[in-house]
Amino acid sequence: MQLSGIIAYPITPFSHDGEKIQFDVLGQTLENLIDQDCDAIAPLGSTGESAYLSLDEWKQVAEYTVKTVNQRVPVMIGIGELTTSQAILKARFAESVGADAIMVIPVSYWKLSDTEIFDYYQAIATATSLPIMVYNNPATSGIDMSPELLVRMFRTIPNVSMVKESSGDIQRMHRLYELSSGELPFYNGSNPLALEALCAGASGWCTAAPNLLGRRPKTLFRLVSSGELAAAQDFFYRQLPLLRLMVTAGIPKVVKAGLVIQGMNAGMPRKPLQGTTTEEQLVLRNLLAEFNR
């Protein structure tokens, strides 16, 4: 499976008390992302607050997303688990409901060795035929996978076919390219690094930005792909303040607050997460107003 372009991340909208998922609003966000010309949909990542969902809720969101998208674009379902057995359970469920791929991040309490990480992915790959995107995000998972380990898994585990690199270090992407002789598709997961990553040969950009920025992320991808680098640079810097705010304030918080400003009942993050501060909301309103002028 070869993906390129914008892999978009939807929120998981909750009711006002945070107890129930608002599937009607989730449906609206999915339709919006498809309308924004995104190339794939990736529910149940950090943006979707996957870590704060029960297993039943996770399954409901996964199945609902696959059915709603209905093969219009590929669906890549996020899995982040402490235990191998739970990750396998979710991988098999994703395959059973018709997902096109899974994005897997190992979550750690105890520091995992490279052998333990390798065996984690090997076991998941054995349990499913779905393509696997390995997700490296040390800030959220507690695990930092080296380019050497990522390329070794790509070379030796058949299902491992993509890497999402979110460390924020462009040198990691250069190293992935060098070690794999350009054969390993890697994707940018650090929003403020989008321009550099695409110029470095990233196959795409994994981002929640289209929820608020519409088609602008896809336009940036197209400009870089067509070699219009001066225009791409200008276009990127217009988006950068909002991209940076999403990272510093917290992606689920900012995306949900932005959707509310735009008239969608996106709700609040699930506790213990809280919403954006008054100051952050003011900055967000001003940024969104700039885009709408």
Side-chain angles (χ1 to χ4, degrees), residues 1 3 7-10 40-51 58 74-81 86-88 90-92 94-95 99-107 120-121 124 128 130-137 140-141 145 159-166 187-190 205-208:
M1 180 182 186
L3 288 175
I7 301 175
Y9 290 77
I41 303 291
L44 298 164
S46 304
T47 304
E49 299 175 69
S50 179
W58 183 94
V75 173
M76 178 185 297
I77 293 178
I79 297 172
E81 290 295 331
Q86 191 74 354
I88 287 173
K90 287 186 172 181
R92 286 174 170 163
E95 185 165 15
D100 299 285
I102 52 177
M103 181 187 70
V104 180
I105 183 170
V107 182
Y120 178 87
Y121 280 100
I124 296 168
T128 178
L130 290 176
I132 297 172
M133 172 182 277
V134 178
Y135 178 18
N136 186 49
N137 190 345
T140 58
S141 70
M145 291 177 274
N159 298 38
V160 170
S161 56
M162 303 168 273
V163 168
K164 176 185 175 184
E165 174 53 62
S166 297
Y187 301 76
N188 175 57
S190 176
W205 178 12
C206 299
T207 180

Side-chain angles (χ1 to χ4, degrees), residues 28 35 57 99-100 103 105 122 128 167 213 244 269:
Q28 292 176 44
D35 289 345
E57 288 175 327
D100 299 285
M103 181 187 70
I105 183 170
Q122 178 72 76
T128 178
S167 67
L213 288 170
R244 189 180 289 124

Side-chain angles (χ1 to χ4, degrees), residues 195 199 220 223-224 227-238:
L195 178 62
C199 289
L220 176 64
L223 288 171
V224 175
E228 300 174 70
L229 299 186
Q233 183 181 44
D234 179 67
F235 205 70
F236 170 72
Y237 280 118
R238 291 185 218 163

Side-chain angles (χ1 to χ4, degrees), residues 3 24 60 86 95 109 129 156 189 196 214 222-223 226 259 275:
L3 288 175
D24 57 335
Q60 289 168 18
Q86 191 74 354
E95 185 165 15
Y109 180 87
S129 64
T156 57
E196 295 97 319
R222 286 175 171 159
L223 288 171
S226 63
L259 289 173

Side-chain angles (χ1 to χ4, degrees), residues 10-13 21-32 43 60-62 64-65 68 264:
I11 60 165
T12 300
I21 296 171
Q22 299 186 91
F23 284 98
D24 57 335
V25 179
L26 175 57
Q28 292 176 44
T29 65
L30 294 172
E31 294 298 335
N32 180 57
Q60 289 168 18
V61 171
Y64 180 88
T65 301
T68 301
M264 184 178 293

